[in-house]
């Protein structure tokens, strides 16, 4: 995530890439796998790469199109601001079943 710049990215193109990767991953999931685990590596994330618009899109897309496969969200090296963003996004998006969220790494708050 550290290389992403919300000021120079094309939102529509980035959203298309997210949808493509989600569909590609779903296509290759084994029929015996019920839930997926998503991992976000926040190493070197800064203010310019913290993209609330894109994060909201990813959360809504998952809740609306893949609710049956959402299982865990692992956030590696999550800065404190992540938790504020997660509270905002998770209150906007109705997630069923609720996503288990874990933080790992030296910068995490341990919540």
């Amino acid at each position: 995530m550290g290389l992403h710049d919300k000021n120079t990215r094309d939102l529509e193109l980035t959203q298309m890439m997210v949808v493509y990767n989600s569909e590609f991953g779903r296509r290759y999931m084994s029929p015996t796998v019920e839930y997926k685990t998503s991992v976000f590596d926040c190493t070197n994330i800064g203010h310019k790469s913290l993209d609330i618009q894109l994060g909201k899109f990813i959360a809504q897309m998952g809740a609306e199109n893949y609710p049956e496969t959402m299982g865990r969200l692992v956030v590696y090296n999550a800065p404190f601001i992540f938790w504020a963003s997660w509270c905002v996004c998770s209150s906007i998006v109705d997630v069923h079943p609720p996503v288990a969220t874990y933080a790992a790494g030296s910068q995490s708050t341990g919540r």
Side-chain angles (χ1 to χ4, degrees):
M1 289 177 76
L3 299 177
H4 176 79
D5 187 342
K6 67 182 177 191
N7 299 313
T8 60
R9 60 99 172 103
D10 179 331
L11 181 60
E12 186 175 344
L13 185 62
T14 307
Q15 289 172 337
M16 288 171 51
M17 181 192 69
V18 168
V19 170
Y20 172 81
N21 286 324
S22 296
E23 285 295 315
F24 185 81
R26 188 175 70 109
R27 178 179 301 167
Y28 291 99
M29 278 179 66
S30 169
T32 60
V33 175
E34 293 185 31
Y35 298 106
K36 69 179 178 181
T37 298
S38 298
V39 179
F40 286 91
D41 183 356
C42 294
T43 303
N44 297 325
I45 193 170
H47 180 68
K48 71 177 185 174
S49 54
L50 188 61
D51 195 337
I52 301 297
Q53 255 186 316
L54 184 60
K56 182 179 172 185
F57 171 79
I58 292 170
Q60 284 180 327
M61 182 197 68
E64 292 171 3
N65 299 295
Y66 310 104
E68 69 282 353
T69 62
M70 293 179 76
R72 290 187 180 104
L73 172 63
V74 178
V75 182
Y76 182 73
N77 280 332
F80 178 76
I81 192 70
F82 166 78
W83 294 106
S85 302
W86 177 249
C87 289
V88 170
C89 290
S90 63
S91 67
I92 293 170
V93 178
D94 188 22
V95 180
H96 292 286
V99 177
T101 308
Y102 303 96
S106 60
Q107 297 177 21
S108 68
T109 60
R111 295 185 197 177

